[in-house]
Structure formats: C-alpha cells, structure tokens
C-alpha cells in the first residue's frame, strides 16, 4: 500500500511557489518541501485543510492511493 503525495503537481497547476504556499498555510518551507517531495509519513488534517483552502482543491487532488500488490 502506498499513498503518493501530488502536492508538487497541484502547486504547478495553480502556479504557486513553495514560499507563497508557506505564507498562506502558515507552515515552514522545510515542512512543505518534505510534503512536496513525499518525505513524510503523516500529515495533520489541519495542515491538509489549510493546503486545500490555499490551493482551492480537494484532498484527493493531493493524495493518491497506489496498490502495491497489482
């Protein structure tokens, strides 16, 4: 089971930089960078909520499930 983070794709679609998203969400560049590159094992719902609000998207636009067994 794998959850893939697609934050980089959504940010590119919205033409939003990491710095701009960081300011809007109130999360450090370092933490957003880790989310963007998928180097995290968890995300708080409050952070996900703030990201979705800033990017005007749904959680499913950022998170994708890939079944490893297929």
């Amino acid at each position: 089971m794998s959850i893939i983070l697609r934050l980089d794709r959504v940010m590119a679609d919205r033409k939003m930089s990491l710095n701009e998203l960081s300011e809007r969400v109130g999360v450090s560049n370092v933490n957003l960078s880790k989310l963007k590159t998928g180097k995290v094992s968890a995300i708080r719902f409050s952070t996900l909520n703030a990201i979705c609000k800033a990017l005007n998207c749904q959680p499913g636009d950022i998170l994708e499930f890939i079944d490893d067994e297929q």
Side-chain angles (χ1 to χ4, degrees):
M1 165 180 94
S2 293
I3 301 293
I4 307 298
L5 289 163
R6 302 289 186 200
L7 182 59
D8 55 343
R9 182 177 65 193
V10 177
M11 288 173 61
D13 289 346
R14 306 297 192 276
K15 295 179 174 62
M16 188 175 297
S17 70
L18 193 64
N19 288 335
E20 184 179 354
L21 185 60
S22 173
E23 289 175 12
R24 289 186 182 195
V25 174
V27 175
S28 73
N29 282 356
V30 172
N31 287 338
L32 277 181
S33 180
K34 287 179 182 178
L35 278 172
K36 187 176 167 186
T37 58
K39 295 181 180 177
V40 294
S41 59
I43 182 171
R44 292 177 187 236
F45 282 137
S46 59
T47 302
L48 182 60
N49 183 65
I51 290 171
C52 288
K53 185 174 181 180
L55 292 172
N56 191 29
C57 68
Q58 294 295 315
D61 297 332
I62 297 172
L63 304 171
E64 182 178 345
F65 169 75
I66 304 292
D67 190 355
D68 292 338
E69 295 178 13
Q70 292 182 355

